[in-house]
């Protein structure tokens, strides 16, 4: 067998292939979310009614969700630092705290959806609410995917004290998910 056939090896760039793959995923996600945000901004500027609809979003829940995600980003940094020290117990603890806060985000988002839908603001109410549900739903899907992958890494890799680099890789993904929310929160909740 030749050298360099394993996915964990170094690529021609000198960047570990796992990290390079995560950056490729993030690059493609930037295109998706960048397109959504650009479409939002164009519609927001062209249709004054969007500001009136945005005023109906629940800023308190959006703010609390922002707190959950920013805190979870800090926890994933602590998980990475513990992984660098090869401290499996601390790494797993911080990964599970990150997952817990991601879960808080999803519970609050689900409750927010329940409130909005019960007040007649659905995917089909108008273009603003269609965008709102698509953008926040897509973001929520990414949160859930990150939580699942972190759980797998915590229990399949860190617990067995192997593949420590995966903690950094999922951390990069998680930070991207948080940055997307940092764009969505002011656009959907604050900019009235």
């Amino acid at each position: 067998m030749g050298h360099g056939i394993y996915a964990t090896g170094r690529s021609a760039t000198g960047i570990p292939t796992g990290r390079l793959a995560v950056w490729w995923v993030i690059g493609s996600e930037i295109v998706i979310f960048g397109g959504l945000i650009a479409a939002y901004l164009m519609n927001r500027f062209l249709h004054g009614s969007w500001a009136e609809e945005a005023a109906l979003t629940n800023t308190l829940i959006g703010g609390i969700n922002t707190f959950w995600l920013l805190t979870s980003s800090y926890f994933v940094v602590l998980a990475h630092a513990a992984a660098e020290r090869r401290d499996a117990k601390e790494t797993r603890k911080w990964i599970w705290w990150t997952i817990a806060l991601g879960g808080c985000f999803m519970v609050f988002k689900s409750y927010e959806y329940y409130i909005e839908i019960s007040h007649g603001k659905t995917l089909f109410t108008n273009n603003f609410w269609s965008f709102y549900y698509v953008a926040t739903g897509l973001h929520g899907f990414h949160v859930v995917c990150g939580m699942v992958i972190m759980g797998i890494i915590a229990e399949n890799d860190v617990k067995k004290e192997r593949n420590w680099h995966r903690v950094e890789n999922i951390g990069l993904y998680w930070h991207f998910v948080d940055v997307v929310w940092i764009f969505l929160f002011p656009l959907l909740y604050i900019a009235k």
Side-chain angles (χ1 to χ4, degrees), residues 105-176:
F105 176 91
M106 292 308 299
V107 166
F108 272 64
K109 182 47 83 184
S110 298
Y111 178 68
E112 184 180 11
Y113 281 177
Y114 168 77
I115 291 170
E116 290 160 349
I117 291 168
S118 66
H119 287 94
K121 295 176 272 186
T122 70
L123 181 66
F124 306 106
T125 300
N126 59 38
N127 286 341
F128 173 82
W129 289 103
S130 293
F131 177 85
Y132 171 85
Y133 283 109
V134 168
T136 59
L138 185 61
H139 178 264
F141 172 74
H142 284 77
V143 169
V144 170
C145 288
M147 292 166 55
V148 168
I149 295 167
M150 276 190 271
I152 292 168
I153 290 170
E155 298 308 309
N156 191 48
D157 293 317
V158 175
K159 189 174 186 177
K160 296 174 184 173
E161 299 189 20
R162 63 182 187 188
N163 299 320
W164 293 98
H165 65 282
R166 291 182 177 168
V167 176
E168 178 186 8
N169 292 342
I170 192 59
L172 290 171
Y173 172 85
W174 194 254
H175 290 314
F176 169 75

Side-chain angles (χ1 to χ4, degrees), residues 22-37 138-139 141-142 173 176-177 180:
V22 170
W23 281 112
W24 276 106
V25 168
I26 289 171
S28 68
E29 297 296 327
I30 288 171
V31 172
I32 293 168
F33 281 104
L36 272 173
I37 291 170
L138 185 61
H139 178 264
F141 172 74
H142 284 77
Y173 172 85
F176 169 75
V177 170
V180 168

Side-chain angles (χ1 to χ4, degrees), residues 28-58:
S28 68
E29 297 296 327
I30 288 171
V31 172
I32 293 168
F33 281 104
L36 272 173
I37 291 170
Y40 174 85
L41 291 171
M42 288 189 309
N43 278 286
R44 178 77 181 242
F45 294 133
L46 295 174
H47 305 287
S49 64
W50 278 46
E52 296 165 14
E53 294 296 327
L56 301 175
T57 58
N58 192 319

